[in-house]
Amino acid sequence: MTAAYWLPVIFAGLMALAMLIYVILDGYDLGVGVLLPFTDEDEKDMMIASIGPFWDANETWLVLGVGLLLTAFPMAHGVILGALYLPVALMLLGLILRGVAFDFRVKAHADHKPWWNAAFATGSLLASLSQGVMLGRYLTGFEPGLAAWGFSLLTGVGLTAAYALLGAGWLVMKTEGRLQARAIGWARHSVAGTALAVIAVSVVTPLVSQRIAEKWFVLPDFLLLLPLQLISLALFVTLALALPRLARRQAAGNDNFCWLPFACTVGIVVLAFWGLAYSVFPQLVIDQLDIWQAASSPEALKVILAGAAVVLPTILGYTVFAYRVFWGKAHELTYQ
């Protein structure tokens, strides 16, 4: 158990943690952006208000994850981002468009504001689809051909549905009245797409690599992993059953358990990410590079770890503080 062995393991864990937090936190605000066109102008302001204090900080986790990939695993960084050049460029275009639209819609004249709202929604949709395509391309080992690209596009749509479910759950938790009722309806429509994405990834991932298939379908591993699938199914069933009841309670003025859709969706994302990480580990590029082959030298990793030991708790502490300060229902959007 030398430093050359355990340091890449530590960095793989830190990178996975950063990406998981990113998917959850930026996932819900991307989802809110995707849902923005489906309501009226006043409710759009409330939707933006619900994510306003958080969305910039949420993207920090993406920067951290990609930064760890670049510094700790430079060989894998070159292979992955080289193969994903087009969807990465589209994702960045979407994120830039979101950022510009978010700021400009504040100062825009009334007749221009719908255009900036459309730009924010378009940027959110483009970023979500691009991230899903990136996931699909990664899982297929960057294989060429219509089948691989078709699966990647399906994954793009599925991840967008999952983000929409996260966003709808966030709005159910953070808003009231008519917008909350709309959000419950959006969540009900997003559950099927999210389930399709989870099923598609679960089916295709073992088919990509014999090594991955053996990790999932040999005994006793299969029995040990079975609870992962059963809990995911239970969360989907809970969502499907709870959303109609929440709609009835909300209509009667009862806001109890408004947090449940978001909590269930976060649980589904965590379990799906856990299954994906188990499938891939210790590979960084499936059947091409593992974490030890792609890692920087132990001396470099020690220096990077010292920096990460400062940066990671700082970002985590700020995130917890921000969510604590802005806890509770979102209020009407105002600017001084």
Side-chain angles (χ1 to χ4, degrees), residues 166-191:
L166 276 169
W170 177 259
L171 291 172
V172 172
M173 184 172 62
K174 295 289 286 185
T175 63
E176 300 173 301
R178 187 173 63 173
L179 179 55
Q180 187 184 49
R182 287 183 189 269
I184 293 172
W186 294 333
R188 294 176 69 177
H189 285 98
S190 301
V191 170

Side-chain angles (χ1 to χ4, degrees), residues 162-237:
Y163 282 173
L165 182 57
L166 276 169
W170 177 259
L171 291 172
V172 172
M173 184 172 62
K174 295 289 286 185
T175 63
E176 300 173 301
R178 187 173 63 173
L179 179 55
Q180 187 184 49
R182 287 183 189 269
I184 293 172
W186 294 333
R188 294 176 69 177
H189 285 98
S190 301
V191 170
T194 305
L196 176 62
V198 172
I199 292 170
V201 170
S202 300
V203 169
V204 171
T205 303
L207 297 177
V208 172
S209 168
Q210 180 64 31
R211 183 191 60 83
I212 294 176
E214 290 174 354
K215 291 180 73 173
W216 276 93
F217 297 115
V218 297
L219 295 174
D221 295 27
F222 177 78
L223 295 177
L224 294 174
L225 292 167
L226 189 59
L228 194 71
Q229 304 166 54
L230 295 177
I231 296 172
S232 297
L233 177 61
L235 289 173
F236 274 114
V237 172

Side-chain angles (χ1 to χ4, degrees), residues 43-65:
E43 291 178 346
K44 285 182 172 65
D45 282 344
M46 184 59 72
M47 292 170 72
I48 296 295
S50 75
I51 64 173
F54 313 109
W55 76 283
D56 265 338
N58 292 344
E59 293 179 355
T60 305
W61 293 98
L62 176 63
V63 177
L64 178 61

Side-chain angles (χ1 to χ4, degrees), residues 52-135:
F54 313 109
W55 76 283
D56 265 338
N58 292 344
E59 293 179 355
T60 305
W61 293 98
L62 176 63
V63 177
L64 178 61
V66 175
L68 288 173
L69 177 65
L70 170 62
T71 55
F73 305 105
M75 290 180 62
H77 178 273
V79 172
I80 293 172
L81 293 191
L84 297 177
Y85 183 86
L86 178 59
V88 167
L90 292 174
M91 179 190 72
L92 293 176
L93 177 62
L95 294 177
I96 292 169
L97 187 59
R98 269 168 52 90
V100 172
F102 189 94
D103 288 330
F104 273 73
R105 71 182 298 278
V106 177
K107 300 179 174 65
H109 295 295
D111 54 339
H112 293 160
K113 192 173 180 180
W115 292 99
W116 289 115
N117 285 334
F120 187 81
T122 301
S124 301
L125 180 62
L126 183 59
S128 301
L129 288 170
S130 298
Q131 289 177 15
V133 170
M134 290 161 61
L135 175 62

